[in-house]
Amino acid sequence: MKESEIIQKYLLDKIQTISLDKNGIITASNNSLFEATVGKDIKDYHPFFELTSYLFLKDNDEITFHTITLDFTRKTIVSDIIISTGNKIDNGSIIIFDYSEHYTSVQEVTQQKNEMFIKNFFSSQKILKAEEERILKNKILANITNDLKTPISSVKALLDLFNNNSLTFEQKGLLKSIQTSTNQVNRIIDDVLELTKSDIGILNIEMATFDFEDLIKHIEKQSQAEFLDLDSVIQITKSPRIPRHLVGDSNRILQIITNLLRFIFLSSPNENVHLNIEIDNLSPKKVGLNFTLKYFEKQTHELASAEQLNKNVLSNSKQNNLHLELAKNIIILLNGNIKLQNSQKESYIKIFLPFEIDVLKSKDIARKQAFHKIEIVKNYTVLLIDDIELNQLILMKLLLNHAGFYIDISYQMENSETLISKNNYDLIFINLQTKTLDGFELISNIRNNNNKTIKKTPIIALSSFETEIEKKACKKIKINSYLIKPFTAEELYSNIYNALKLV
């Protein structure tokens, strides 16, 4: 194709120039795009050109319009248009650039992009909605389990109040069965609560120096206490090279191992389990440990393959896998990983957890000491603020069994503040989760009281579950002690001794 032909096809045939006077009458046109007859009014060809009546009132002006669609009888043009208004001497002009092919292709691409955007938008909205529903469901579930904690804690405390010496052999057996069942229900509630807390991101991780030898003892003690009735043997071995003083959350590690054992024994109650702990990697300041739980399959496992088992850890939410899901969530929070293997003869669960090494072997490691009951000579006055009668009864019974306490009870804000102002109490118990008063507000009022004696009164807060927000709030308003229900008599007495500075 010749150059002149190329110019004609791709340039001249795509541009139409029209000359017209101030009245809009056509004086010349090359008619490349449509036939514009000399002597006719440009406004007769398309409503768009009605603009010339207003634009031509001004001299020597130039206006550009983009993406203008001109519909004619035989064709439609998508164009850019430049209008020059001219003046009294020079005619005005209209230049029309035919960009139909360009705008059509752009429109298709734009349409595809818009359709994709709309599709992605609705997909993301569905994902966001599903995530919001999941978080809401977990919050509701957390609230339900929290509400269940109070009656379960009360039942456990009432059972502990029974004097075994006054019971017959048959009654002791029945009491033990009730205690075992109650402990199982309480454990399931705890697991559901912990799982929902981890799923919505409020599970608390506390990194601190701990004694690894003590952790092993706690694992052994917990296993013996919980799985004593099973026809199983739990053996624990470890590498002697593991540093003794590590930095991590020892309570969460104990929780991981316990939940994995629960999963194993729920699947096969008579399994023999071997927990082996070895070093994966070691440096002067850090160590990675592999915890491997090996167990012999005495019956067919509900999961057919390692692949299915690993998939189950990530997604299955059936009741017998609740323990695996909770353990997995905690392991992820501790920057570890989990692997499961299933075979006909032997199966294992292997977890990896990283730790820092306390190279200074800190002397501030928390060690639980044996409880020693203190004989109280002086009678202390105690105010119990709780709106649940069963909680009141249990705490009163525990304090009376110990001896050395006079007890007042209140369940309303106004009445509580009146009692506090009239009596110099030695100790105040306040349930943070009540329907009749705001525990935090009441404690804040006590701490801001003008009376120095009232202001410094020791306070023990009671709560059904522990959150980082609640702990920080308690610390901010200077609570002396913080008890999570259910608690043992020894835990209660130890907190009282510390609050009253008896130890």
Side-chain angles (χ1 to χ4, degrees):
M1 186 181 292
K2 296 179 181 180
E3 182 180 355
S4 59
E5 293 175 342
I6 294 174
I7 293 173
Q8 183 68 38
K9 180 178 180 180
Y10 294 103
L11 186 59
L12 298 180
D13 286 351
K14 301 292 184 182
I15 302 173
Q16 180 165 341
T17 59
I18 303 171
S19 296
L20 58 165
D21 61 22
K22 280 288 187 179
N23 295 317
I25 303 301
I26 299 171
T27 59
S29 174
N30 66 353
N31 294 340
S32 297
L33 303 177
F34 67 95
E35 185 175 349
T37 305
V38 174
K40 291 193 67 174
D41 194 329
I42 188 66
K43 295 186 285 295
D44 295 337
Y45 288 92
H46 196 276
F48 171 78
F49 297 120
E50 293 285 347
L51 288 170
T52 57
S53 299
Y54 305 97
L55 297 177
F56 276 42
L57 294 175
K58 188 175 181 180
D59 291 339
N60 301 321
D61 198 8
E62 185 176 284
I63 307 97
T64 303
F65 300 89
H66 297 284
T67 323
I68 303 300
T69 301
L70 300 176
D71 298 307
F72 300 109
T73 304
R74 297 181 179 180
K75 66 189 301 188
T76 298
I77 300 169
V78 183
S79 60
D80 286 357
I81 299 175
I82 300 174
I83 298 178
S84 298
T85 61
N87 51 53
K88 293 180 180 179
I89 299 174
D90 298 319
N91 285 338
S93 65
I94 297 176
I95 304 175
I96 303 171
F97 300 87
D98 183 5
Y99 289 148
S100 299
E101 294 180 4
H102 168 73
Y103 280 127
T104 300
S105 62
V106 169
Q107 186 178 16
E108 290 177 356
V109 173
T110 303
Q111 181 67 19
Q112 291 175 359
K113 286 184 178 180
N114 289 339
E115 289 175 357
M116 187 175 294
F117 171 80
I118 293 170
K119 184 178 179 181
N120 291 338
F121 174 77
F122 284 110
S123 297
S124 63
Q125 288 298 106
K126 287 181 180 179
I127 294 170
L128 286 173
K129 185 178 180 182
E131 179 68 11
E132 289 174 357
E133 290 176 351
R134 182 188 67 81
I135 293 174
L136 179 61
K137 177 195 71 176
N138 284 330
K139 285 183 177 179
I140 293 172
L141 193 57
N143 289 333
I144 292 172
T145 52
N146 178 48
D147 290 340
L148 288 172
K149 288 283 287 182
T150 295
I152 292 297
S153 301
S154 301
V155 172
K156 281 174 60 63
L158 286 172
L159 292 173
D160 291 339
L161 290 174
F162 279 100
N163 185 356
N164 285 337
N165 295 328
S166 63
L167 300 178
T168 65
F169 179 78
E170 183 179 359
Q171 289 172 333
K172 289 180 179 178
L174 290 172
L175 178 62
K176 185 177 180 181
S177 297
I178 296 172
Q179 287 175 324
T180 301
S181 299
T182 305
N183 288 335
Q184 289 175 345
V185 173
N186 186 63
R187 188 184 69 210
I188 292 172
I189 292 172
D190 284 338
D191 286 346
V192 172
L193 183 59
E194 290 288 276
L195 183 59
T196 53
K197 284 164 66 178
S198 67
D199 211 25
I200 58 180
I202 61 172
L203 190 63
N204 185 34
I205 298 295
E206 295 184 353
M207 307 300 284
T209 298
F210 69 93
D211 189 322
F212 190 75
E213 298 291 338
D214 284 350
L215 174 62
I216 299 300
K217 292 176 183 178
H218 288 322
I219 293 174
E220 290 175 338
K221 185 178 179 181
Q222 177 77 15
S223 303
Q224 291 170 1
E226 186 164 341
F227 308 114
L228 182 64
D229 296 336
L230 299 176
D231 183 20
S232 301
V233 176
I234 301 173
Q235 180 187 7
I236 302 177
T237 58
K238 66 178 183 66
S239 168
R241 296 176 55 242
I242 297 175
R244 179 163 182 172
H245 302 105
L246 303 177
V247 178
D249 192 329
S250 59
N251 290 326
R252 294 301 181 190
I253 299 166
L254 176 62
Q255 191 177 10
I256 290 169
I257 300 300
T258 303
N259 275 282
L260 292 178
L261 288 172
R262 288 170 184 168
F263 167 75
I264 293 171
F265 291 131
L266 274 173
S267 301
S268 302
N270 298 322
E271 298 273 1
N272 291 328
V273 180
H274 177 205
L275 169 60
N276 184 48
I277 309 168
E278 296 286 342
I279 294 176
D280 180 88
N281 58 79
L282 179 63
S283 68
K285 293 185 179 182
K286 294 183 180 181
V287 62
L289 298 182
N290 289 322
F291 297 73
T292 305
L293 287 138
K294 292 184 178 181
Y295 52 102
F296 178 74
E297 291 285 355
K298 294 183 180 178
Q299 53 183 309
T300 304
H301 201 282
E302 62 174 331
L303 302 170
S305 68
E307 182 180 354
Q308 289 174 318
L309 191 56
N310 279 291
K311 183 179 180 181
N312 180 73
V313 173
L314 297 174
S315 61
N316 202 316
S317 58
K318 293 181 181 179
Q319 182 178 355
N320 62 333
N321 293 313
L322 172 65
H323 306 298
L324 268 176
E325 187 70 20
L326 177 56
K328 183 265 297 184
N329 285 359
I330 300 173
I331 289 167
I332 291 174
L333 287 173
L334 294 174
N335 298 316
N337 56 63
I338 182 169
K339 179 182 178 182
L340 298 98
Q341 180 66 49
N342 189 34
S343 66
Q344 293 182 349
K345 294 184 178 181
E346 187 180 63
S347 299
Y348 70 80
I349 302 173
K350 183 177 181 179
I351 63 174
F352 167 80
L353 292 172
F355 300 91
E356 291 183 7
I357 301 172
D358 187 346
V359 293
L360 299 178
K361 296 185 178 181
S362 172
K363 295 182 180 180
D364 296 327
I365 300 172
R367 297 176 181 273
K368 288 188 177 181
Q369 298 179 350
F371 173 76
H372 297 290
K373 188 175 180 180
I374 297 175
E375 184 177 351
I376 297 179
V377 179
K378 172 188 174 181
N379 286 317
Y380 290 92
T381 56
V382 176
L383 175 61
L384 168 59
I385 303 172
D386 198 324
D387 61 352
I388 300 175
E389 291 185 5
L390 194 55
N391 289 347
Q392 299 171 3
L393 175 64
I394 291 168
L395 201 56
M396 281 181 62
K397 184 67 176 175
L398 289 170
L399 292 175
L400 291 173
N401 284 350
H402 187 286
F405 300 101
Y406 289 128
I407 308 161
D408 285 338
I409 295 176
S410 177
Y411 58 90
Q412 291 181 338
M413 175 74 82
E414 186 176 348
N415 182 53
S416 300
E417 291 184 331
T418 301
L419 287 172
I420 292 169
S421 64
K422 290 183 178 179
N423 303 279
N424 290 326
Y425 289 107
D426 297 303
L427 180 63
I428 300 175
F429 287 93
I430 299 179
N431 188 354
L432 297 176
Q433 286 101 23
T434 64
K435 297 178 180 179
T436 56
L437 59 84
D438 185 335
F440 287 101
E441 181 183 350
L442 178 58
I443 295 169
S444 180
N445 292 343
I446 294 171
R447 290 293 181 245
N448 293 319
N449 197 289
N450 293 327
N451 187 312
K452 292 183 178 180
T453 303
I454 294 176
K455 188 175 184 177
K456 295 181 179 179
T457 305
I459 298 173
I460 296 179
L462 307 175
S463 180
S464 296
F465 66 98
E466 181 181 31
T467 66
E468 188 64 24
I469 295 174
E470 193 171 89
K471 283 181 66 178
K472 288 180 179 178
C474 289
K475 186 176 181 180
K476 185 176 181 180
I477 57 179
K478 300 178 181 178
I479 289 176
N480 298 77
S481 189
Y482 182 71
L483 266 176
I484 306 299
K485 296 178 287 186
F487 48 79
T488 64
E490 288 79 8
E491 288 173 335
L492 173 66
Y493 299 151
S494 295
N495 278 270
I496 291 174
Y497 298 161
N498 289 327
L500 296 175
K501 298 180 179 179
L502 300 177
V503 290

